[in-house]
Amino acid sequence: MTANYPTADLLTPKQHIRVGCWNVRTLYQAGRLAQAAKEMDRYNISLLGMSEVRWTGTGKQRLNSGGVMIWSGRSDNIHHEGVALLVSKKHANTILQWKPVNERLLYVRLNSKYAKLSIVVAYAPIDNAEEETKDTFYSSLQAVLDYIPRHDVTMLLGDFNARVGQNSHNRSRVMGTHALGDITDNGERLV
């Protein structure tokens, strides 16, 4: 899907943007979307990737706050999984195109004078899911990443359902100190 005429500029040399990524557990309850948008404004977040949204179908919706929500959910009317991107009011006019891939992947391309920004919002299967399900997800993710124009700035947001464990030896540049448990297969792929 493409937007008509994006007018705003997202990435500029002197402007900072805040990006967030939340597993919201569900937006399929009254008031949850408004609550997420309010928290996004409170933390001054420009772009918010969300997983486990639990909305069905796909779409783009302008919110009362002026922001835009783009989502990709299941097509069988079952309220599980689902990913979304909330774009703040200030940057709502930067959306060039969006492509719902499936209930676990969403691609959105945003305009800027200096560089286009491609965002992929992902929600990976849990570690004990079937190997075929995990392989399908990662194959689809790679296909989306390969689709992105090479000159775009690429941002991958999401919940990869990985436990990174407490041992951050040789990983201090990509891993904080507040983890629990032992590393999983998904964690090894990311780290």
Side-chain angles (χ1 to χ4, degrees), residues 35-159:
Q35 181 183 12
K38 183 178 178 183
E39 289 298 306
M40 181 181 165
D41 287 342
R42 188 173 84 126
Y43 287 104
N44 196 28
I45 296 173
S46 299
L47 304 169
L48 178 61
M50 296 184 291
S51 57
E52 213 170 336
V53 174
R54 298 180 189 240
W55 282 18
T56 59
T58 63
K60 177 181 167 186
Q61 170 181 329
R62 186 162 294 269
L63 307 178
N64 290 339
S65 65
V68 173
M69 179 170 162
I70 302 169
W71 75 93
S72 180
R74 292 178 64 120
S75 59
D76 58 4
N77 231 12
I78 296 174
H79 295 276
H80 289 276
E81 293 107 14
V83 290
L85 180 70
L86 261 175
V87 182
S88 68
K89 177 181 181 177
K90 180 178 179 182
H91 301 294
N93 291 333
T94 63
I95 300 168
L96 284 173
Q97 73 182 95
W98 56 282
K99 178 181 175 186
V101 179
N102 57 36
E103 66 273 6
R104 293 187 176 274
L105 291 168
L106 172 67
Y107 167 72
V108 180
R109 189 168 190 228
L110 303 168
N111 189 43
S112 184
K113 180 193 266 185
Y114 301 99
K116 307 293 188 254
L117 175 63
S118 287
I119 297 177
V120 179
V121 183
Y123 178 47
I126 58 175
D127 189 46
N128 62 359
E130 294 179 21
E131 288 300 316
E132 182 180 334
T133 303
K134 292 191 282 188
D135 289 342
T136 300
F137 169 78
Y138 284 104
S139 294
S140 298
L141 175 59
Q142 187 62 54
V144 172
L145 293 173
D146 290 343
Y147 171 80
I148 295 172
R150 292 189 185 271
H151 57 276
D152 281 15
V153 174
T154 302
M155 191 176 294
L156 178 59
L157 306 173
D159 181 353

